[in-house]
Amino acid sequence: KIHPYIIDACDVLNNPKKILSLLCKKLDIPFYQAMLTWGLGHHKTDGIWGEYWYDRVVTTTRFQTYIKNDALLPSKYNGIYKECMDHYSELYQYRIG
């Protein structure tokens, strides 16, 4: 059975060098230290969704430390949350790191 390469955002934020190095090794591409930082502001390569997805990216120059979100999910979403977590748990066992 073939599994996709899975990376967990929390793992990346907690140790970007380790996780990106492992991913690069799996992909058989070189890891560069420059992958850990970027220039401040917007970039041409952000694409059409950049303005919606990259709020923190444009105001930072490196990966930020993971901050746990303890917000409570409204109970009306418990069913979809459980279904999503089932899929997440299935994929999580194959994560890199």
Side-chain angles (χ1 to χ4, degrees), residues 7-8 11-12 15-24 96-97:
I7 57 172
D8 185 278
D11 293 337
V12 174
N15 196 336
K17 184 176 183 178
K18 174 186 174 187
I19 301 302
L20 293 179
S21 294
L22 290 170
L23 177 60
C24 287
I96 295 171

Side-chain angles (χ1 to χ4, degrees), residues 8-68:
D8 185 278
C10 182
D11 293 337
V12 174
L13 293 176
N14 285 330
N15 196 336
K17 184 176 183 178
K18 174 186 174 187
I19 301 302
L20 293 179
S21 294
L22 290 170
L23 177 60
C24 287
K25 186 175 182 176
K26 294 262 188 200
L27 295 171
D28 197 27
I29 61 174
F31 169 80
Y32 298 103
Q33 192 72 23
M35 294 175 175
L36 302 175
T37 60
W38 50 87
L40 196 62
H42 292 280
H43 304 276
K44 290 180 187 178
T45 56
D46 290 348
I48 61 171
W49 295 104
E51 67 181 285
Y52 305 103
W53 290 350
Y54 299 153
D55 285 349
R56 287 197 180 157
V57 174
V58 299
T59 61
T60 61
T61 58
R62 63 181 38 92
F63 290 93
Q64 303 299 295
T65 304
Y66 172 74
I67 299 170
K68 186 176 180 184

